Amino acid sequence: MTEPDVLERNIREHQERQRVAWQHLSMPSLTAFESRELRNQIKQSGAELRRCLDMRSERLRTAPVTRAHASSIGLN
């Protein structure tokens, strides 16, 4: 698996963790401790997600423009 593939997989995993954690957080049966732990997990996962998204953004920003891509965005 290439590095960009791993990065995309990590992004999807963090997004899924966020989705599931928010769903669980809405459950009225949670104790105060469980709720606090979920919020901590959401913060931690959110920070990792932002880091991964920043890495992807940086790669896309600095990636060389291929001829096909250049023509598709009107640079030729």
Side-chain angles (χ1 to χ4, degrees):
M1 197 178 286
T2 65
E3 194 173 328
D5 293 337
V6 171
L7 183 59
E8 290 301 318
R9 188 189 71 214
N10 288 342
I11 289 170
R12 285 191 303 276
E13 287 174 0
H14 286 297
Q15 288 171 330
E16 181 63 14
R17 278 191 203 118
Q18 291 276 306
R19 188 188 66 75
V20 169
W22 279 107
Q23 278 184 332
H24 285 118
L25 195 57
S26 69
M27 297 169 59
S29 61
L30 285 179
T31 66
F33 175 78
E34 291 169 327
S35 183
R36 188 171 41 254
E37 285 299 308
L38 272 172
R39 287 193 304 272
N40 287 339
Q41 288 177 15
I42 289 169
K43 285 180 188 177
Q44 201 169 25
S45 180
E48 284 297 311
L49 177 58
R50 277 191 300 279
R51 186 184 64 77
C52 290
L53 290 171
D54 286 343
M55 286 173 54
R56 180 175 68 179
S57 177
E58 183 65 23
R59 283 190 182 142
L60 291 174
R61 190 177 66 75
T62 60
V65 177
T66 63
R67 188 175 294 188
H69 180 70
S71 65
S72 73
I73 60 174
L75 294 178
N76 284 345

